[in-house]
Amino acid sequence: MHSRFPVVDQNMKVIGMITSKDVMGHEQDVLIEKIMTKNPMTVSGSTSVASSAHMMVWEGIEVLPVVNDANRLQGIVSRQDVLKALQMIQRQPQVGETLDDTVTNQLVLAKGKTKDEDIFRCQVTPQMTNHLGTISYGVFTTIVTEAANRVLRGYKKGDLVVENMTIYFIKPVQIDSVIEIYPKVLEVGRKFGKVDIEAFNDGVLVGKAMMMCQLIDRH
């Protein structure tokens, strides 16, 4: 059941939104146009589910009107509709690809401020999110582990096994956001490595991790 409704004119063009809270406390003969929220946010039929979820979470709204190119009302989409769609996407098996593969493929190397600085970027896709539409803890763990793995390969060929990891999840990250990962090697030996990792979104620190890894030679 919704508590937010679009207001349209005689041509079905969306001119505002009204909520039950807006109506409460007013006289019965007060016109809706006097208390509605004008110029509301809308989406079109071609807006992605991910973008709709981002708008809803970011703006704190439960319902968005769906309009055509002429701003005529076509329907509404609720946060519940969006979350159901995202969950369906997550359940759909990707042929030959695991979630770890998806995360690994999204993680790309970018240029740092200095020649020796490695920065990785990763865009948050629907498959990486939880039921709230934000990046899941498990995916964030996979991202920082993969970033540490790649940066340690620059020091020593082989694979790593995480022996100890401490993660601080500071701020939720929305769908379609781009995370920048800054891994910094603190120590590296013949059989171990220690990496400090910071994650940023739009310049804001969203997570940190400290990893102790065992390095395994490839034979």
Side-chain angles (χ1 to χ4, degrees), residues 83-150:
L83 291 178
K84 282 183 179 178
L86 290 174
Q87 288 166 1
M88 286 181 63
I89 292 172
Q90 286 179 300
R91 292 192 193 105
Q92 290 176 355
Q94 305 296 313
V95 179
E97 185 176 84
T98 65
L99 182 56
D100 283 359
D101 292 332
T102 301
V103 173
T104 301
N105 292 335
Q106 286 289 330
L107 196 65
V108 296
L109 181 64
K111 290 184 178 179
K113 294 179 181 178
T114 64
K115 185 176 68 174
D116 298 328
E117 183 181 42
D118 285 328
I119 298 175
F120 297 93
R121 289 195 176 96
C122 182
Q123 184 169 13
V124 180
T125 66
Q127 292 91 338
M128 300 180 189
T129 60
N130 55 27
H131 67 285
L132 298 175
T134 60
I135 191 169
S136 71
Y137 183 86
V139 167
F140 185 76
T141 302
T142 301
I143 289 173
V144 297
T145 302
E146 178 64 20
N149 197 341
R150 292 188 190 182

Short mmCIF file of all heavy atoms in Angstrom, two decimals, residues 83-150:
data_model
loop_
_atom_site.label_atom_id
_atom_site.label_comp_id
_atom_site.label_asym_id
_atom_site.label_seq_id
_atom_site.Cartn_x
_atom_site.Cartn_y
_atom_site.Cartn_z
N LEU A 83 13.19 -3.40 -5.50
CA LEU A 83 13.95 -4.40 -4.75
C LEU A 83 13.62 -5.81 -5.22
O LEU A 83 14.50 -6.67 -5.31
CB LEU A 83 13.67 -4.26 -3.25
CG LEU A 83 14.24 -2.99 -2.59
CD1 LEU A 83 13.85 -2.95 -1.12
CD2 LEU A 83 15.75 -2.93 -2.74
N LYS A 84 12.35 -6.07 -5.54
CA LYS A 84 11.97 -7.38 -6.07
C LYS A 84 12.68 -7.65 -7.39
O LYS A 84 13.16 -8.77 -7.64
CB LYS A 84 10.45 -7.45 -6.27
CG LYS A 84 9.66 -7.67 -4.99
CD LYS A 84 8.17 -7.80 -5.30
CE LYS A 84 7.37 -8.05 -4.03
NZ LYS A 84 5.91 -8.14 -4.32
N ALA A 85 12.74 -6.62 -8.25
CA ALA A 85 13.41 -6.78 -9.54
C ALA A 85 14.90 -7.05 -9.35
O ALA A 85 15.48 -7.90 -10.03
CB ALA A 85 13.20 -5.53 -10.40
N LEU A 86 15.52 -6.34 -8.42
CA LEU A 86 16.95 -6.55 -8.16
C LEU A 86 17.21 -7.95 -7.62
O LEU A 86 18.20 -8.59 -7.98
CB LEU A 86 17.46 -5.50 -7.16
CG LEU A 86 17.53 -4.06 -7.68
CD1 LEU A 86 17.90 -3.12 -6.55
CD2 LEU A 86 18.55 -3.95 -8.81
N GLN A 87 16.33 -8.42 -6.75
CA GLN A 87 16.50 -9.76 -6.20
C GLN A 87 16.36 -10.82 -7.28
O GLN A 87 17.06 -11.83 -7.28
CB GLN A 87 15.50 -9.98 -5.08
CG GLN A 87 15.82 -9.19 -3.81
CD GLN A 87 14.67 -9.14 -2.82
OE1 GLN A 87 13.61 -9.71 -3.06
NE2 GLN A 87 14.87 -8.44 -1.72
N MET A 88 15.46 -10.59 -8.23
CA MET A 88 15.30 -11.53 -9.35
C MET A 88 16.56 -11.56 -10.20
O MET A 88 17.01 -12.62 -10.64
CB MET A 88 14.10 -11.13 -10.21
CG MET A 88 12.76 -11.43 -9.58
SD MET A 88 11.38 -10.97 -10.66
CE MET A 88 11.67 -12.06 -12.06
N ILE A 89 17.16 -10.37 -10.43
CA ILE A 89 18.40 -10.30 -11.20
C ILE A 89 19.50 -11.08 -10.50
O ILE A 89 20.26 -11.82 -11.12
CB ILE A 89 18.82 -8.83 -11.40
CG1 ILE A 89 17.83 -8.12 -12.32
CG2 ILE A 89 20.23 -8.75 -11.99
CD1 ILE A 89 18.05 -6.62 -12.41
N GLN A 90 19.56 -10.93 -9.17
CA GLN A 90 20.60 -11.61 -8.40
C GLN A 90 20.45 -13.12 -8.45
O GLN A 90 21.42 -13.86 -8.43
CB GLN A 90 20.57 -11.14 -6.95
CG GLN A 90 21.11 -9.73 -6.75
CD GLN A 90 21.03 -9.31 -5.30
OE1 GLN A 90 19.97 -9.26 -4.71
NE2 GLN A 90 22.16 -9.00 -4.72
N ARG A 91 19.19 -13.59 -8.52
CA ARG A 91 18.95 -15.04 -8.52
C ARG A 91 19.22 -15.67 -9.88
O ARG A 91 19.41 -16.87 -9.97
CB ARG A 91 17.50 -15.33 -8.12
CG ARG A 91 17.19 -14.98 -6.67
CD ARG A 91 15.85 -15.56 -6.26
NE ARG A 91 15.40 -15.00 -5.00
CZ ARG A 91 14.44 -14.10 -4.89
NH1 ARG A 91 13.84 -13.65 -5.98
NH2 ARG A 91 14.07 -13.64 -3.71
N GLN A 92 19.19 -14.85 -10.93
CA GLN A 92 19.39 -15.41 -12.26
C GLN A 92 20.84 -15.87 -12.42
O GLN A 92 21.77 -15.08 -12.24
CB GLN A 92 19.07 -14.38 -13.34
CG GLN A 92 17.58 -14.07 -13.44
CD GLN A 92 17.30 -12.97 -14.43
OE1 GLN A 92 18.22 -12.37 -14.98
NE2 GLN A 92 16.04 -12.69 -14.66
N PRO A 93 21.06 -17.12 -12.75
CA PRO A 93 22.43 -17.61 -12.90
C PRO A 93 23.12 -17.00 -14.12
O PRO A 93 22.53 -16.90 -15.18
CB PRO A 93 22.25 -19.13 -13.08
CG PRO A 93 20.86 -19.28 -13.63
CD PRO A 93 20.05 -18.15 -13.03
N GLN A 94 24.33 -16.55 -13.93
CA GLN A 94 25.13 -16.06 -15.05
C GLN A 94 25.88 -17.25 -15.63
O GLN A 94 26.62 -17.94 -14.93
CB GLN A 94 26.13 -15.00 -14.56
CG GLN A 94 25.48 -13.84 -13.81
CD GLN A 94 24.54 -13.05 -14.69
OE1 GLN A 94 24.89 -12.70 -15.81
NE2 GLN A 94 23.35 -12.77 -14.20
N VAL A 95 25.69 -17.51 -16.91
CA VAL A 95 26.25 -18.70 -17.54
C VAL A 95 27.76 -18.70 -17.41
O VAL A 95 28.45 -17.83 -17.93
CB VAL A 95 25.85 -18.77 -19.03
CG1 VAL A 95 26.47 -20.00 -19.68
CG2 VAL A 95 24.33 -18.79 -19.16
N GLY A 96 28.28 -19.70 -16.67
CA GLY A 96 29.72 -19.86 -16.54
C GLY A 96 30.40 -18.79 -15.72
O GLY A 96 31.61 -18.69 -15.71
N GLU A 97 29.64 -17.96 -15.01
CA GLU A 97 30.25 -16.86 -14.26
C GLU A 97 29.72 -16.82 -12.84
O GLU A 97 28.51 -16.80 -12.61
CB GLU A 97 29.96 -15.52 -14.95
CG GLU A 97 30.67 -14.34 -14.31
CD GLU A 97 30.45 -13.04 -15.06
OE1 GLU A 97 29.42 -12.39 -14.81
OE2 GLU A 97 31.30 -12.67 -15.88
N THR A 98 30.62 -16.83 -11.86
CA THR A 98 30.23 -16.71 -10.46
C THR A 98 30.22 -15.25 -10.07
O THR A 98 30.67 -14.38 -10.82
CB THR A 98 31.23 -17.47 -9.57
OG1 THR A 98 32.50 -16.83 -9.66
CG2 THR A 98 31.35 -18.92 -10.00
N LEU A 99 29.73 -14.97 -8.85
CA LEU A 99 29.73 -13.59 -8.36
C LEU A 99 31.16 -13.08 -8.21
O LEU A 99 31.45 -11.92 -8.51
CB LEU A 99 28.99 -13.51 -7.02
CG LEU A 99 28.88 -12.11 -6.40
CD1 LEU A 99 28.21 -11.14 -7.36
CD2 LEU A 99 28.11 -12.18 -5.09
N ASP A 100 32.06 -13.96 -7.77
CA ASP A 100 33.47 -13.56 -7.66
C ASP A 100 34.03 -13.17 -9.03
O ASP A 100 34.82 -12.23 -9.14
CB ASP A 100 34.30 -14.71 -7.07
CG ASP A 100 34.13 -14.83 -5.56
OD1 ASP A 100 33.38 -14.01 -4.99
OD2 ASP A 100 34.72 -15.74 -4.97
N ASP A 101 33.63 -13.91 -10.07
CA ASP A 101 34.07 -13.57 -11.43
C ASP A 101 33.55 -12.19 -11.83
O ASP A 101 34.27 -11.39 -12.44
CB ASP A 101 33.56 -14.60 -12.44
CG ASP A 101 34.21 -15.96 -12.26
OD1 ASP A 101 35.36 -16.00 -11.78
OD2 ASP A 101 33.58 -16.97 -12.59
N THR A 102 32.29 -11.91 -11.50
CA THR A 102 31.69 -10.62 -11.83
C THR A 102 32.46 -9.48 -11.16
O THR A 102 32.79 -8.47 -11.79
CB THR A 102 30.22 -10.56 -11.38
OG1 THR A 102 29.49 -11.61 -12.02
CG2 THR A 102 29.58 -9.23 -11.73
N VAL A 103 32.76 -9.66 -9.87
CA VAL A 103 33.50 -8.64 -9.13
C VAL A 103 34.90 -8.46 -9.72
O VAL A 103 35.36 -7.33 -9.94
CB VAL A 103 33.60 -9.02 -7.64
CG1 VAL A 103 34.51 -8.05 -6.90
CG2 VAL A 103 32.22 -9.03 -7.01
N THR A 104 35.56 -9.57 -10.01
CA THR A 104 36.92 -9.51 -10.56
C THR A 104 36.94 -8.80 -11.90
O THR A 104 37.83 -7.99 -12.19
CB THR A 104 37.48 -10.94 -10.73
OG1 THR A 104 37.50 -11.59 -9.45
CG2 THR A 104 38.89 -10.91 -11.29
N ASN A 105 35.93 -9.05 -12.73
CA ASN A 105 35.87 -8.42 -14.04
C ASN A 105 35.58 -6.92 -13.95
O ASN A 105 35.97 -6.15 -14.82
CB ASN A 105 34.80 -9.09 -14.91
CG ASN A 105 35.17 -10.52 -15.28
OD1 ASN A 105 36.35 -10.87 -15.31
ND2 ASN A 105 34.18 -11.34 -15.55
N GLN A 106 34.87 -6.51 -12.90
CA GLN A 106 34.54 -5.10 -12.73
C GLN A 106 35.71 -4.29 -12.18
O GLN A 106 35.76 -3.07 -12.32
CB GLN A 106 33.35 -4.95 -11.77
CG GLN A 106 32.01 -5.32 -12.36
CD GLN A 106 31.52 -4.33 -13.40
OE1 GLN A 106 31.82 -3.15 -13.34
NE2 GLN A 106 30.78 -4.82 -14.37
N LEU A 107 36.66 -4.97 -11.54
CA LEU A 107 37.78 -4.29 -10.90
C LEU A 107 38.87 -3.98 -11.93
O LEU A 107 39.50 -4.89 -12.47
CB LEU A 107 38.35 -5.17 -9.78
CG LEU A 107 39.26 -4.50 -8.75
CD1 LEU A 107 38.50 -3.45 -7.95
CD2 LEU A 107 39.87 -5.54 -7.82
N VAL A 108 39.06 -2.70 -12.22
CA VAL A 108 40.03 -2.31 -13.25
C VAL A 108 41.09 -1.40 -12.65
O VAL A 108 40.83 -0.62 -11.73
CB VAL A 108 39.33 -1.59 -14.43
CG1 VAL A 108 38.39 -2.53 -15.14
CG2 VAL A 108 38.58 -0.35 -13.95
N LEU A 109 42.29 -1.51 -13.19
CA LEU A 109 43.42 -0.70 -12.71
C LEU A 109 43.34 0.70 -13.30
O LEU A 109 43.09 0.89 -14.48
CB LEU A 109 44.74 -1.37 -13.12
CG LEU A 109 46.03 -0.67 -12.68
CD1 LEU A 109 46.14 -0.64 -11.17
CD2 LEU A 109 47.24 -1.37 -13.30
N ALA A 110 43.54 1.70 -12.45
CA ALA A 110 43.55 3.10 -12.88
C ALA A 110 44.87 3.73 -12.48
O ALA A 110 45.61 3.19 -11.66
CB ALA A 110 42.38 3.86 -12.26
N LYS A 111 45.17 4.87 -13.06
CA LYS A 111 46.42 5.55 -12.76
C LYS A 111 46.34 6.27 -11.42
O LYS A 111 45.37 6.96 -11.12
CB LYS A 111 46.76 6.56 -13.86
CG LYS A 111 47.17 5.93 -15.18
CD LYS A 111 47.58 6.99 -16.18
CE LYS A 111 48.04 6.35 -17.49
NZ LYS A 111 48.43 7.38 -18.49
N GLY A 112 47.38 6.13 -10.62
CA GLY A 112 47.46 6.84 -9.35
C GLY A 112 48.16 8.17 -9.52
O GLY A 112 48.58 8.56 -10.61
N LYS A 113 48.29 8.89 -8.40
CA LYS A 113 48.95 10.19 -8.44
C LYS A 113 50.45 10.05 -8.68
O LYS A 113 51.09 10.95 -9.22
CB LYS A 113 48.69 10.93 -7.13
CG LYS A 113 47.23 11.30 -6.92
CD LYS A 113 47.02 12.02 -5.60
CE LYS A 113 45.55 12.37 -5.38
NZ LYS A 113 45.33 13.04 -4.08
N THR A 114 51.00 8.92 -8.25
CA THR A 114 52.42 8.66 -8.48
C THR A 114 52.56 7.39 -9.31
O THR A 114 51.63 6.60 -9.43
CB THR A 114 53.17 8.48 -7.14
OG1 THR A 114 52.65 7.32 -6.47
CG2 THR A 114 52.98 9.69 -6.25
N LYS A 115 53.74 7.21 -9.87
CA LYS A 115 53.98 6.08 -10.76
C LYS A 115 53.83 4.75 -10.04
O LYS A 115 53.39 3.75 -10.63
CB LYS A 115 55.39 6.20 -11.36
CG LYS A 115 55.71 5.14 -12.40
CD LYS A 115 57.07 5.37 -13.01
CE LYS A 115 58.19 5.15 -12.00
NZ LYS A 115 59.53 5.22 -12.63
N ASP A 116 54.18 4.72 -8.75
CA ASP A 116 54.16 3.46 -8.01
C ASP A 116 52.83 3.19 -7.29
O ASP A 116 52.69 2.18 -6.61
CB ASP A 116 55.29 3.46 -6.97
CG ASP A 116 56.66 3.55 -7.63
OD1 ASP A 116 56.81 3.02 -8.74
OD2 ASP A 116 57.57 4.16 -7.03
N GLU A 117 51.88 4.11 -7.43
CA GLU A 117 50.61 3.95 -6.72
C GLU A 117 49.59 3.24 -7.60
O GLU A 117 49.31 3.66 -8.71
CB GLU A 117 50.05 5.32 -6.30
CG GLU A 117 48.77 5.24 -5.50
CD GLU A 117 48.23 6.61 -5.12
OE1 GLU A 117 48.26 7.51 -5.98
OE2 GLU A 117 47.78 6.77 -3.99
N ASP A 118 49.05 2.13 -7.09
CA ASP A 118 48.01 1.39 -7.79
C ASP A 118 46.65 1.79 -7.25
O ASP A 118 46.42 1.79 -6.03
CB ASP A 118 48.20 -0.12 -7.61
CG ASP A 118 49.35 -0.66 -8.45
OD1 ASP A 118 49.59 -0.10 -9.53
OD2 ASP A 118 50.00 -1.62 -8.01
N ILE A 119 45.74 2.13 -8.15
CA ILE A 119 44.35 2.41 -7.78
C ILE A 119 43.46 1.50 -8.63
O ILE A 119 43.68 1.36 -9.83
CB ILE A 119 43.98 3.88 -8.05
CG1 ILE A 119 44.84 4.82 -7.22
CG2 ILE A 119 42.50 4.12 -7.73
CD1 ILE A 119 44.59 6.28 -7.54
N PHE A 120 42.48 0.90 -7.98
CA PHE A 120 41.53 0.06 -8.71
C PHE A 120 40.14 0.69 -8.60
O PHE A 120 39.78 1.22 -7.56
CB PHE A 120 41.51 -1.36 -8.14
CG PHE A 120 42.82 -2.08 -8.28
CD1 PHE A 120 43.75 -2.05 -7.26
CD2 PHE A 120 43.13 -2.76 -9.44
CE1 PHE A 120 44.97 -2.70 -7.38
CE2 PHE A 120 44.34 -3.41 -9.59
CZ PHE A 120 45.26 -3.39 -8.56
N ARG A 121 39.40 0.61 -9.70
CA ARG A 121 38.03 1.12 -9.70
C ARG A 121 37.07 -0.04 -9.95
O ARG A 121 37.36 -0.93 -10.73
CB ARG A 121 37.86 2.20 -10.77
CG ARG A 121 38.55 3.50 -10.42
CD ARG A 121 38.07 4.65 -11.30
NE ARG A 121 38.67 5.92 -10.89
CZ ARG A 121 39.74 6.44 -11.44
NH1 ARG A 121 40.33 5.82 -12.45
NH2 ARG A 121 40.22 7.59 -11.01
N CYS A 122 35.92 0.04 -9.30
CA CYS A 122 34.91 -1.00 -9.45
C CYS A 122 33.53 -0.37 -9.42
O CYS A 122 33.20 0.36 -8.47
CB CYS A 122 35.05 -2.03 -8.33
SG CYS A 122 33.88 -3.40 -8.45
N GLN A 123 32.73 -0.63 -10.45
CA GLN A 123 31.35 -0.12 -10.47
C GLN A 123 30.43 -1.13 -9.82
O GLN A 123 30.50 -2.33 -10.08
CB GLN A 123 30.89 0.16 -11.90
CG GLN A 123 29.49 0.78 -11.95
CD GLN A 123 29.13 1.29 -13.32
OE1 GLN A 123 29.80 1.00 -14.30
NE2 GLN A 123 28.07 2.08 -13.40
N VAL A 124 29.55 -0.64 -8.96
CA VAL A 124 28.63 -1.50 -8.22
C VAL A 124 27.45 -1.87 -9.12
O VAL A 124 26.66 -1.01 -9.51
CB VAL A 124 28.13 -0.81 -6.94
CG1 VAL A 124 27.18 -1.73 -6.18
CG2 VAL A 124 29.30 -0.41 -6.05
N THR A 125 27.34 -3.14 -9.46
CA THR A 125 26.25 -3.64 -10.30
C THR A 125 25.14 -4.23 -9.41
O THR A 125 25.37 -4.48 -8.22
CB THR A 125 26.76 -4.72 -11.27
OG1 THR A 125 27.18 -5.86 -10.50
CG2 THR A 125 27.94 -4.21 -12.09
N PRO A 126 23.95 -4.46 -9.97
CA PRO A 126 22.86 -5.03 -9.16
C PRO A 126 23.22 -6.35 -8.49
O PRO A 126 22.78 -6.62 -7.37
CB PRO A 126 21.73 -5.22 -10.19
CG PRO A 126 21.97 -4.17 -11.21
CD PRO A 126 23.47 -4.06 -11.31
N GLN A 127 24.04 -7.18 -9.17
CA GLN A 127 24.42 -8.47 -8.59
C GLN A 127 25.24 -8.32 -7.32
O GLN A 127 25.35 -9.27 -6.54
CB GLN A 127 25.20 -9.30 -9.61
CG GLN A 127 24.38 -9.76 -10.80
CD GLN A 127 24.45 -8.76 -11.95
OE1 GLN A 127 24.76 -7.60 -11.75
NE2 GLN A 127 24.16 -9.23 -13.15
N MET A 128 25.84 -7.15 -7.12
CA MET A 128 26.73 -6.94 -5.97
C MET A 128 26.00 -6.39 -4.75
O MET A 128 26.63 -6.15 -3.72
CB MET A 128 27.85 -5.97 -6.34
CG MET A 128 28.74 -6.41 -7.48
SD MET A 128 30.02 -5.17 -7.79
CE MET A 128 30.73 -5.80 -9.31
N THR A 129 24.70 -6.18 -4.85
CA THR A 129 23.99 -5.47 -3.79
C THR A 129 23.18 -6.41 -2.90
O THR A 129 22.88 -7.54 -3.25
CB THR A 129 23.04 -4.42 -4.38
OG1 THR A 129 22.09 -5.06 -5.23
CG2 THR A 129 23.81 -3.39 -5.17
N ASN A 130 22.82 -5.87 -1.73
CA ASN A 130 21.94 -6.60 -0.81
C ASN A 130 20.50 -6.14 -1.02
O ASN A 130 20.19 -5.42 -1.97
CB ASN A 130 22.39 -6.38 0.64
CG ASN A 130 22.46 -4.89 0.99
OD1 ASN A 130 21.76 -4.06 0.41
ND2 ASN A 130 23.31 -4.55 1.95
N HIS A 131 19.59 -6.53 -0.11
CA HIS A 131 18.17 -6.21 -0.28
C HIS A 131 17.88 -4.72 -0.12
O HIS A 131 16.79 -4.26 -0.47
CB HIS A 131 17.34 -7.01 0.72
CG HIS A 131 17.57 -6.62 2.15
ND1 HIS A 131 18.71 -6.98 2.85
CD2 HIS A 131 16.82 -5.89 3.01
CE1 HIS A 131 18.64 -6.50 4.07
NE2 HIS A 131 17.52 -5.83 4.20
N LEU A 132 18.85 -3.95 0.38
CA LEU A 132 18.67 -2.51 0.53
C LEU A 132 19.16 -1.73 -0.69
O LEU A 132 19.03 -0.51 -0.75
CB LEU A 132 19.41 -2.01 1.77
CG LEU A 132 18.94 -2.58 3.11
CD1 LEU A 132 19.84 -2.09 4.24
CD2 LEU A 132 17.49 -2.19 3.38
N GLY A 133 19.73 -2.44 -1.66
CA GLY A 133 20.24 -1.77 -2.84
C GLY A 133 21.61 -1.17 -2.66
O GLY A 133 22.03 -0.29 -3.42
N THR A 134 22.34 -1.63 -1.64
CA THR A 134 23.71 -1.16 -1.41
C THR A 134 24.66 -2.35 -1.49
O THR A 134 24.24 -3.50 -1.37
CB THR A 134 23.85 -0.47 -0.04
OG1 THR A 134 23.52 -1.41 1.00
CG2 THR A 134 22.92 0.73 0.07
N ILE A 135 25.94 -2.06 -1.68
CA ILE A 135 26.93 -3.13 -1.85
C ILE A 135 26.95 -4.02 -0.61
O ILE A 135 26.89 -3.54 0.52
CB ILE A 135 28.32 -2.54 -2.14
CG1 ILE A 135 29.29 -3.65 -2.59
CG2 ILE A 135 28.87 -1.79 -0.95
CD1 ILE A 135 30.59 -3.12 -3.13
N SER A 136 27.00 -5.33 -0.84
CA SER A 136 26.96 -6.27 0.28
C SER A 136 28.34 -6.41 0.92
O SER A 136 29.37 -6.14 0.29
CB SER A 136 26.48 -7.64 -0.20
OG SER A 136 27.46 -8.27 -1.00
N TYR A 137 28.33 -6.86 2.16
CA TYR A 137 29.59 -7.04 2.90
C TYR A 137 30.48 -8.07 2.22
O TYR A 137 31.69 -7.90 2.10
CB TYR A 137 29.27 -7.46 4.34
CG TYR A 137 30.49 -7.62 5.22
CD1 TYR A 137 31.03 -6.53 5.89
CD2 TYR A 137 31.09 -8.87 5.39
CE1 TYR A 137 32.15 -6.68 6.71
CE2 TYR A 137 32.20 -9.03 6.20
CZ TYR A 137 32.73 -7.93 6.86
OH TYR A 137 33.83 -8.08 7.65
N GLY A 138 29.85 -9.16 1.75
CA GLY A 138 30.62 -10.22 1.09
C GLY A 138 31.31 -9.74 -0.17
O GLY A 138 32.46 -10.09 -0.44
N VAL A 139 30.60 -8.92 -0.96
CA VAL A 139 31.19 -8.39 -2.19
C VAL A 139 32.33 -7.43 -1.87
O VAL A 139 33.38 -7.45 -2.52
CB VAL A 139 30.11 -7.69 -3.05
CG1 VAL A 139 30.74 -6.86 -4.16
CG2 VAL A 139 29.16 -8.72 -3.63
N PHE A 140 32.13 -6.59 -0.86
CA PHE A 140 33.19 -5.66 -0.47
C PHE A 140 34.45 -6.43 -0.05
O PHE A 140 35.57 -6.05 -0.39
CB PHE A 140 32.72 -4.76 0.67
CG PHE A 140 33.70 -3.68 1.04
CD1 PHE A 140 33.87 -2.56 0.24
CD2 PHE A 140 34.48 -3.80 2.18
CE1 PHE A 140 34.78 -1.57 0.57
CE2 PHE A 140 35.40 -2.82 2.53
CZ PHE A 140 35.55 -1.70 1.72
N THR A 141 34.24 -7.53 0.67
CA THR A 141 35.37 -8.37 1.07
C THR A 141 36.09 -8.94 -0.14
O THR A 141 37.33 -8.96 -0.20
CB THR A 141 34.87 -9.53 1.97
OG1 THR A 141 34.21 -9.00 3.11
CG2 THR A 141 36.03 -10.40 2.43
N THR A 142 35.32 -9.39 -1.14
CA THR A 142 35.92 -9.92 -2.36
C THR A 142 36.72 -8.85 -3.10
O THR A 142 37.81 -9.11 -3.62
CB THR A 142 34.82 -10.48 -3.29
OG1 THR A 142 34.10 -11.51 -2.61
CG2 THR A 142 35.41 -11.04 -4.57
N ILE A 143 36.19 -7.63 -3.14
CA ILE A 143 36.87 -6.54 -3.84
C ILE A 143 38.22 -6.23 -3.21
O ILE A 143 39.24 -6.14 -3.90
CB ILE A 143 35.98 -5.27 -3.85
CG1 ILE A 143 34.78 -5.46 -4.78
CG2 ILE A 143 36.79 -4.04 -4.29
CD1 ILE A 143 33.78 -4.33 -4.72
N VAL A 144 38.24 -6.08 -1.88
CA VAL A 144 39.51 -5.72 -1.23
C VAL A 144 40.50 -6.88 -1.30
O VAL A 144 41.72 -6.67 -1.41
CB VAL A 144 39.28 -5.26 0.24
CG1 VAL A 144 38.43 -4.00 0.28
CG2 VAL A 144 38.66 -6.35 1.08
N THR A 145 40.01 -8.11 -1.24
CA THR A 145 40.90 -9.27 -1.35
C THR A 145 41.54 -9.33 -2.73
O THR A 145 42.74 -9.57 -2.87
CB THR A 145 40.13 -10.58 -1.07
OG1 THR A 145 39.53 -10.52 0.23
CG2 THR A 145 41.05 -11.78 -1.14
N GLU A 146 40.73 -9.11 -3.77
CA GLU A 146 41.25 -9.14 -5.13
C GLU A 146 42.25 -8.00 -5.37
O GLU A 146 43.28 -8.19 -6.03
CB GLU A 146 40.09 -9.05 -6.13
CG GLU A 146 40.51 -9.02 -7.59
CD GLU A 146 41.21 -10.29 -8.06
OE1 GLU A 146 41.06 -11.33 -7.40
OE2 GLU A 146 41.91 -10.22 -9.09
N ALA A 147 41.95 -6.81 -4.83
CA ALA A 147 42.87 -5.68 -4.98
C ALA A 147 44.21 -5.98 -4.31
O ALA A 147 45.28 -5.70 -4.86
CB ALA A 147 42.25 -4.42 -4.39
N ALA A 148 44.16 -6.58 -3.11
CA ALA A 148 45.39 -6.95 -2.41
C ALA A 148 46.16 -8.01 -3.20
O ALA A 148 47.39 -7.94 -3.31
CB ALA A 148 45.05 -7.48 -1.02
N ASN A 149 45.44 -8.96 -3.74
CA ASN A 149 46.07 -10.02 -4.54
C ASN A 149 46.83 -9.42 -5.72
O ASN A 149 47.99 -9.77 -5.98
CB ASN A 149 44.98 -10.98 -5.03
CG ASN A 149 45.55 -12.31 -5.50
OD1 ASN A 149 46.74 -12.42 -5.79
ND2 ASN A 149 44.70 -13.31 -5.59
N ARG A 150 46.19 -8.50 -6.41
CA ARG A 150 46.82 -7.92 -7.61
C ARG A 150 48.04 -7.08 -7.27
O ARG A 150 49.05 -7.12 -7.98
CB ARG A 150 45.79 -7.08 -8.37
CG ARG A 150 44.67 -7.90 -9.00
CD ARG A 150 43.79 -7.06 -9.89
NE ARG A 150 42.60 -7.78 -10.31
CZ ARG A 150 41.68 -7.27 -11.13
NH1 ARG A 150 41.83 -6.04 -11.62
NH2 ARG A 150 40.61 -7.98 -11.46
#
